[in-house]
Amino acid sequence: LEAMGHGRPAVVTRCGGLPGVVTDGEVGLVVEIGAAEALGSAVARLLAHPEERARIGAAARKTVEEQYSMEVATDLLEDLLMSLRSLP
């Protein structure tokens, strides 16, 4: 999320929740765990194609702004707290 928030495409492994945040080819690139060569190829691909890097980076930033911003987190927390007020 840090890289994405700065408009940079993330290159992550298919581990934990990462593939749920990084949609392969849209906001970053996802490679298999332990695939060092694939990781290097993904980074090289982004370095070699600045237009793709810019497109993915812009989509990454938009995703963070729309789904993970402080405003979104605050709204979710407020909704949660309001729902707790209605409990007996």
Side-chain angles (χ1 to χ4, degrees), residues 20-31:
V21 174
V22 179
T23 306
D24 190 39
E26 292 181 26
V27 298
L29 301 176
V30 181
V31 299

Side-chain angles (χ1 to χ4, degrees), residues 42-73:
V43 172
R45 171 180 157 188
L46 292 172
L47 290 172
H49 299 96
E51 62 288 330
E52 180 181 24
R53 185 174 66 239
R55 177 186 57 79
I56 292 174
R61 175 147 178 118
K62 183 177 179 188
T63 296
V64 169
E65 290 171 350
E66 292 176 352
Q67 298 179 19
Y68 301 100
S69 69
M70 185 61 71
E71 292 79 15
V72 171

Side-chain angles (χ1 to χ4, degrees), residues 2-20:
E2 183 80 23
M4 291 169 59
H6 288 282
R8 303 291 186 256
V11 178
V12 302
T13 59
R14 196 173 305 282
C15 175
L18 294 173

Side-chain angles (χ1 to χ4, degrees), residues 67-87:
Q67 298 179 19
Y68 301 100
S69 69
M70 185 61 71
E71 292 79 15
V72 171
T74 301
D75 289 345
L76 289 172
L77 180 58
E78 183 179 4
D79 291 347
L80 173 65
L81 294 173
M82 293 304 282
S83 70
L84 292 176
R85 284 182 55 179
S86 64
L87 292 177

